[in-house]
Amino acid sequence: PGRTNTFQVKRKDGTGYSNLTMTNEDLGFDTGASRKYTGLDLYLERPFDGKWSLRVDYTWSRLTGNTEGQVKSDTGQGDTSKTSDWDYGQLMEYSSGVLQNDRTHQLKLRGTWQFARDWLLNGTASFMSGRPKNCLGYYGTNEDDPGPGYGSFYHWCGGSPSTPGSAGRGPWSKVVNLGVQYQPVALQKKLTIGLDVFNVFNDRSLISADPGFEVAPYTISNTYGMGQSFTTPRRVQFSISYDY
């Protein structure tokens, strides 16, 4: 996308195909695909000494550009390489900004504690800042939709340009997981009985919201800004394994 391409066009007389080369400008694009990730990772670790261990990771990052990748998560287009991006030049106007997968701050912790001879307690915690929100609407001032059937997929919101991330951010997600394992030394620790609780506090933070501002020209969508996906709810897992 965003580059000169050569297409095979079928001849009207049915005798075959002709090659047609079209430049970026011919296709209506003024830029090429762009995605830039910048990140800083810091960590502090105490290795397991037979009693306990702990690791803390912090990541500051920024993901910017005009293309999320081969999917488009804000509009729910999950078919690989089949999104509305780059179909028309107008769809890519004002498309540069903070991309959907951006999480500016991420703090992760994991640790273990051997609190008895046969018992091990483990846990992880993840705290992540919210993802960017988008506002997509009909093209320009709704006078003309240059792409048939695209409707509320342009980077316009209420008649004004709306770059990715300009509609704010979702809330932080806070997920804590805890688990306990029983490994009897009498059985050479070949038997393991475990109980794990994922998302202990049942955090149900918003992950993505409906970006579609309009359902028709000058008609605001009733679902704009409503949640589409949330943090996976609490679940419990019981397991038994034996190594032989």
Side-chain angles (χ1 to χ4, degrees), residues 2-232:
R3 294 183 179 180
T4 297
N5 283 277
T6 299
F7 303 91
Q8 286 192 325
V9 181
K10 189 175 182 179
R11 299 192 187 105
K12 286 186 177 181
D13 60 8
T15 59
Y17 295 83
S18 296
N19 288 333
L20 174 65
T21 299
M22 299 185 70
T23 66
N24 199 29
E25 292 74 19
D26 292 333
L27 295 167
F29 304 121
D30 57 9
T31 185
S34 171
R35 184 170 64 248
K36 181 180 180 181
Y37 174 83
T38 303
L40 172 66
D41 290 314
L42 301 173
Y43 76 91
L44 180 65
E45 183 175 20
R46 185 194 191 279
F48 186 67
D49 62 351
K51 189 67 176 179
W52 67 280
S53 69
L54 178 67
R55 175 164 174 140
V56 180
D57 289 88
Y58 170 75
T59 300
W60 177 93
S61 63
R62 183 54 54 90
L63 181 63
T64 58
N66 59 14
T67 297
E68 180 184 346
Q70 297 193 64
V71 298
K72 191 172 175 64
S73 58
D74 57 346
T75 57
Q77 294 180 327
D79 292 337
T80 305
S81 296
K82 291 184 178 181
T83 71
S84 58
D85 284 352
W86 306 101
D87 284 0
Y88 285 90
Q90 292 88 343
L91 287 165
M92 300 308 295
E93 292 179 8
Y94 306 108
S95 61
S96 293
V98 183
L99 299 178
Q100 273 291 291
N101 290 333
D102 179 75
R103 296 273 196 178
T104 305
H105 304 283
Q106 296 187 58
L107 177 65
K108 298 180 180 181
L109 302 91
R110 69 173 185 266
T112 57
W113 176 34
Q114 186 90 40
F115 63 91
R117 188 186 67 166
D118 298 335
W119 294 87
L120 182 69
L121 182 68
N122 59 76
T124 63
S126 175
F127 307 92
M128 298 187 292
S129 58
R131 286 169 43 168
K133 292 181 179 180
N134 290 341
C135 182
L136 304 177
Y138 276 70
Y139 183 74
T141 57
N142 288 321
E143 299 299 329
D144 181 38
D145 181 358
Y150 283 83
S152 190
F153 267 59
Y154 299 92
H155 293 279
W156 289 80
C157 183
S160 299
S162 177
T163 57
S166 60
R169 286 183 177 267
W172 281 64
S173 64
K174 303 169 285 293
V175 177
V176 176
N177 306 315
L178 293 175
V180 62
Q181 291 183 339
Y182 173 66
Q183 290 183 312
V185 174
L187 296 177
Q188 300 177 325
K189 292 192 174 185
K190 291 184 176 182
L191 173 67
T192 301
I193 301 175
L195 179 67
D196 295 283
V197 182
F198 301 96
N199 195 2
V200 174
F201 301 106
N202 200 33
D203 178 78
R204 299 291 284 126
S205 299
L206 174 75
I207 294 178
S208 65
D210 183 2
F213 183 72
E214 299 168 298
V215 293
Y218 307 106
T219 305
I220 298 176
S221 170
N222 290 330
T223 61
Y224 168 66
M226 291 182 62
Q228 292 179 314
S229 60
F230 301 85
T231 306
T232 304

